Amino acid sequence: ANIPTRVEVLGGEELGEKAVMNSANIAMLLRESTGIQMQQTSANSANQSIRIQGLDGRFTQLLKDGFPLFGGFSSGLSIMQIPPLDLKQVEIIKGSSSTLYGGGAIAGLVNLISKQPGEEKEISLMLDKTSKHGTTVNVFYSERKDKFGWVLYGSGNLQQFADVNEDHFTDIPKVQSISLSPSIFYYPNEKEQWKLSLNTTVENRIGGDIDAVKNGTNSLHSFFEENETNRVSLKLSYENNLSDEKSFNFKNSFSSFKRELTSPGYQFNGNQFASFTEATYNIYNDGFDWVFGSNLITEKFDEKPTTSLDRSYKHVTFGAFAQNNWDLKEKMTLETGLRIDSNNEYGAFILPRVSLIYKFNESVSSRIGVGYGYKIPTIFTEESELRSYQNVLNINPTDFKAEKSIGFNADINYKTLIFDDAVSVSFNQLFFYTRLNNSLLLEQQGAYFKFVNAANPLNSVGFETNLKLKYKDFVLFTNYSYNDVKLNGQQKVLTPKHSFGGVLMYEVHEKWRIGYEAYYKSSQFRNDTTKTPNFWIMGI
């Protein structure tokens, strides 16, 4: 509430509510947030990507406890493989956030904050069964004793295929997955903390023609798409509060992602190895805070020779950054930052950022900010995922440019009590604009598909409105977002201009609650310029 960067927080209560409704992954949790669209990129695997402010999923940085989770090849199926039960809260920043978090945060970032062991033991067990033959089991255990603590989280999901609209194709794919995430904490003293985490997920999902999925392929029923994935990551972090005015943090992670995508007569198989190393030094003074840091990010993708195409690559990016928060006055704080990155294929990038918050009084405050960003291009986009990467040509860095952006955000907040303090009112109005140069376009050239840089910039303009009313045990939350995303004068495909949401909840604290929610999406353009119908989703 008091910093120039606008941060939305989904707390434990919201996480608990959505975990009950969908404990297999976090897609529902994010889909119902204002201005966020969960775009399904495969009808067969049900893969989804996060779109913030109408921009493709590759422009949203996905973090867990500050570590980059997925990028490049490993971003496929990412949202569908993150269960929510071990999360403490979720932080969402919309708009360019590249100064601290790297070039990929053009549209914004989602930081998943995991639970830590407390003085009291915590054990949670959740078993879900759905009417569409889905079963999910989640187990969470945490405890701390003296200088050591530990967390163990496991999740298993079995989903049978389902043909909801009876067109003989799967609307819900068959899924078998298991995830394990043990963590060990060490507290040498009150100022220091070490954490070592292992995360692994093994999954198989298959969709397509019902008969092919159920009984195997034959001459009449041959279409299917099968995804076999294996994720492993090892993360180490160290925190040291050197004094009341200084702290030091270190992070290091290694990850491996293997994916085999199979359909009739075609197979895509690859391995991605990635590493992330970061060190930051923080200085806290009265009215003047600094963050200094540097990081090294590596990403190596090796494609196994299942076709004549080899789209392997290796990217190494070194970055250094600094950010300052300066309390100019009692009511005003200025945030400035600068990042300089150097990539082995695409050279150097300079990313400045400026944000300002001004508090008019206890009820009204306003923010304004602008920042630069970039994205190193790879073939792993929503368009190529739709084609299962079949006949998609490699990107040659010698004749290709990185995508670059400038983003602007401004918002105003209002909080007050009305009707003799019986009703609390919270209102937020956000405006945004992003200009993206050199955006990737996938063009068909004969039997192949080739990426090119767009000649004209892509522009994303819009606003978000949030209103929350609370009266005793009743809460009403409504939101509306407008997205105008255009390239060459044409609205971006599969991007609704208008979205509306509303939730009315009645809760007897720690006993029971009941709610009604409704969400609306306006019509969207398909690739052939025809329009989809608009639709509502409602639930009790």
Side-chain angles (χ1 to χ4, degrees):
N2 298 315
I3 61 175
T5 299
R6 182 181 186 270
V7 182
E8 299 176 28
V9 177
L10 304 178
E13 186 172 308
E14 291 171 280
L15 287 171
E17 176 193 333
K18 298 308 176 188
V20 170
M21 298 171 71
N22 184 357
S23 62
N25 59 70
I26 63 171
M28 176 176 286
L29 173 73
L30 296 172
R31 183 173 62 240
E32 296 179 357
S33 300
T34 312
I36 293 181
Q37 179 189 7
M38 299 306 303
Q39 178 60 50
Q40 186 165 312
T41 56
S42 171
N44 305 300
S45 68
N47 181 25
Q48 299 185 52
S49 66
I50 310 173
R51 286 187 180 182
I52 295 180
Q53 297 178 351
L55 298 175
D56 284 351
R58 67 180 184 276
F59 300 121
T60 297
Q61 181 78 278
L62 191 61
L63 310 174
K64 188 167 188 181
D65 299 323
F67 286 90
L69 266 182
F70 311 120
F73 184 47
S74 68
S75 60
L77 301 170
S78 58
I79 296 302
M80 308 308 294
Q81 294 182 335
I82 304 175
L85 197 64
D86 71 329
L87 299 180
K88 175 185 176 182
Q89 66 184 42
V90 176
E91 301 170 348
I92 302 172
I93 300 178
K94 297 173 183 174
S96 179
S97 308
S98 295
T99 300
L100 280 186
Y101 299 100
I106 287 176
L109 67 92
V110 177
N111 190 17
L112 310 174
I113 309 297
S114 57
K115 296 178 181 177
Q116 296 201 14
E119 298 298 333
E120 295 185 4
K121 182 189 302 184
E122 180 182 349
I123 301 176
S124 299
L125 173 64
M126 181 182 290
L127 171 64
D128 281 349
K129 291 283 291 183
T130 78
S131 59
K132 296 302 177 186
H133 311 294
T135 304
T136 304
V137 178
N138 287 276
V139 179
F140 179 84
Y141 166 68
S142 71
E143 189 174 7
R144 177 178 176 179
K145 289 187 176 180
D146 299 325
K147 292 187 176 183
F148 288 92
W150 47 87
V151 171
L152 177 61
Y153 178 57
S155 178
N157 176 235
L158 291 175
Q159 172 67 59
Q160 297 301 316
F161 60 82
D163 176 16
V164 180
N165 59 0
E166 299 181 350
D167 64 353
H168 216 72
F169 281 83
T170 57
D171 296 297
I172 301 175
K174 181 179 179 181
V175 180
Q176 298 172 306
S177 71
I178 186 168
S179 299
L180 292 174
S181 301
S183 299
I184 299 175
F185 296 78
Y186 174 56
Y187 312 92
N189 50 60
E190 293 182 355
K191 295 183 177 181
E192 296 178 86
Q193 174 184 300
W194 291 87
K195 179 183 178 183
L196 180 65
S197 300
L198 174 68
N199 305 98
T200 179
T201 300
V202 178
E203 183 185 86
N204 176 270
R205 57 175 61 214
I206 181 170
D209 185 300
I210 288 290
D211 286 319
V213 173
K214 186 177 181 180
N215 303 316
T217 60
N218 56 48
S219 58
L220 296 177
H221 304 281
S222 62
F223 179 74
F224 70 94
E225 179 183 297
E226 183 174 13
N227 280 271
E228 296 184 58
T229 60
N230 189 326
R231 298 182 188 271
V232 179
S233 67
L234 185 66
K235 297 184 286 187
L236 175 68
S237 62
Y238 171 69
E239 301 175 12
N240 190 337
N241 294 314
L242 302 169
S243 67
D244 291 339
E245 298 180 346
K246 297 176 182 178
S247 67
F248 174 78
N249 296 276
F250 174 80
K251 296 185 178 81
N252 179 249
S253 68
F254 294 93
S255 65
S256 167
F257 176 70
K258 299 179 181 179
R259 182 183 181 191
E260 184 176 324
L261 194 162
T262 307
S263 58
Y266 174 73
Q267 185 181 61
F268 181 78
N269 195 332
N271 299 343
Q272 178 180 296
F273 299 93
S275 71
F276 173 77
T277 306
E278 179 183 85
T280 58
Y281 183 71
N282 310 279
I283 301 174
Y284 313 104
N285 294 320
D286 289 337
F288 213 75
D289 299 338
W290 282 98
V291 179
F292 299 97
S294 64
N295 55 25
L296 177 67
I297 303 172
T298 68
E299 181 182 318
K300 182 183 179 183
F301 171 70
D302 293 318
E303 182 174 6
K304 293 188 177 181
T306 58
T307 69
S308 59
L309 299 175
D310 183 3
R311 292 157 290 195
S312 303
Y313 63 83
K314 182 178 181 180
H315 290 158
V316 179
T317 304
F318 174 78
F321 56 89
Q323 181 166 292
N324 171 256
N325 275 23
W326 181 17
D327 294 334
L328 297 172
K329 297 179 180 179
E330 184 178 347
K331 297 181 178 181
M332 184 185 301
T333 301
L334 177 68
E335 184 177 85
T336 57
L338 178 67
R339 168 183 282 270
I340 300 176
D341 277 359
S342 178
N343 178 267
N344 63 316
E345 298 280 8
Y346 292 90
F349 301 90
I350 300 176
L351 309 175
R353 181 171 178 268
V354 178
S355 296
L356 178 73
I357 183 172
Y358 184 81
K359 296 182 179 180
F360 296 91
N361 51 51
E362 292 184 357
S363 298
V364 182
S365 63
S366 182
R367 293 181 179 89
I368 188 170
V370 62
Y372 284 74
Y374 76 95
K375 179 67 176 176
I376 299 298
T378 70
I379 67 166
F380 303 110
T381 68
E382 294 177 10
E383 289 81 4
S384 53
E385 173 76 24
L386 280 168
R387 294 168 175 81
S388 302
Y389 310 105
Q390 189 168 3
N391 294 333
V392 176
L393 298 174
N394 196 17
I395 293 176
N396 187 349
T398 59
D399 58 2
F400 218 84
K401 298 178 181 178
E403 297 173 283
K404 296 181 179 180
S405 72
I406 180 170
F408 167 83
N409 281 271
D411 78 335
I412 187 165
N413 307 278
Y414 176 68
K415 296 180 180 180
T416 190
L417 297 172
I418 58 176
F419 301 127
D420 296 326
D421 296 345
V423 178
S424 66
V425 180
S426 177
F427 174 80
N428 176 266
Q429 180 67 53
L430 169 70
F431 300 92
F432 63 85
Y433 168 70
T434 300
R435 180 184 177 94
L436 182 68
N437 293 313
N438 308 324
S439 58
L440 295 185
L441 296 179
L442 189 60
E443 296 182 346
Q444 186 167 1
Q445 296 186 356
Y448 293 93
F449 296 90
K450 181 181 180 180
F451 280 103
V452 297
N453 287 124
N456 298 316
L458 180 147
N459 293 288
S460 174
V461 182
F463 60 86
E464 298 175 11
T465 305
N466 292 277
L467 175 64
K468 183 177 181 181
L469 302 173
K470 185 173 183 180
Y471 172 70
K472 293 184 178 180
D473 295 324
F474 289 93
V475 177
L476 173 65
F477 175 73
T478 61
N479 64 72
Y480 169 75
S481 65
Y482 172 79
N483 278 325
D484 187 15
V485 187
K486 288 184 178 179
L487 176 64
N488 297 326
Q490 298 294 320
Q491 176 77 5
K492 184 174 175 59
V493 298
L494 299 180
T495 305
K497 271 193 174 184
H498 308 279
S499 301
F500 169 81
V503 180
L504 178 62
M505 182 79 70
Y506 176 78
E507 179 177 15
V508 178
H509 188 58
E510 295 184 347
K511 290 186 178 180
W512 63 275
R513 61 186 169 192
I514 184 170
Y516 170 76
E517 57 187 14
Y519 299 93
Y520 167 82
K521 298 287 184 183
S522 66
S523 63
Q524 307 167 43
F525 281 102
R526 301 185 181 94
N527 285 313
D528 61 3
T529 70
T530 61
K531 281 189 174 183
T532 70
N534 53 29
F535 64 89
W536 284 88
I537 295 177
M538 291 177 277
I540 295 177

